[in-house]
Amino acid sequence: GTERWVRLFETIQAGELAPDDEVIALLAAAMETQKEAVGFLFDGFPANMAQARLCQDKLGSPAKVVVLEVPDSVMVDRLKDGVNFNDTEETIKKRIQTFSEETQPVIQAYADVASKVKADRTSEDVFADIKKILDR
C-alpha cells in the first residue's frame, strides 16, 4: 500500500491508535466520494475523546453507536488466534488497556445514541442484533 497506509497499519499492529488527523482525513475523503449514501458505519472510531470532538466538528454527530461487548478473556483469545493481527500478550494487554482508558469515555459520552450488543455469541446472532439496531 501507500506510505500512509503502511504507517497506519504498523501503528495499529503495535496496539496504538492511529493519528486523529490521518483518520479524519481518510474518512472525510471516503465520505466525499459517497455523497448519495444514507449513512456511514465507522468501525472502532472515534476511539478517544479527542477523536470524538474532531469527528463531531469535521464529520458531524453520530446518529447511532453500536458497542460490541466482549469479556476480556474472549477478546484475548480472539486476538491471539492469528487470524487478524496475531498479537503478542503484551500487545493484547495494551489494546485492552487502551480501550478501557480511551474508548470507554467515548461510549459514555454517546450513551444517548448507543446500543450494546453482546458479541461473544455466534456471528449470525450478533449480526441480527446489529441489523435490528441499524434498521430502527
Side-chain angles (χ1 to χ4, degrees), residues 57-74:
D57 291 346
K58 302 286 184 181
L59 306 175
S61 297
K64 299 175 184 181
V65 173
V66 178
V67 180
L68 301 179
E69 292 187 319
V70 181
D72 287 354
S73 60
V74 173

Side-chain angles (χ1 to χ4, degrees), residues 11 13 17 26 30 61 64 77 81 87 91 93 97 103 116:
T11 299
Q13 193 172 31
L17 297 175
L26 290 169
S61 297
K64 299 175 184 181
D77 289 343
D81 73 3
D87 283 342
T91 305
K93 287 178 185 174
Q97 179 181 355
T103 307
K116 295 181 179 182

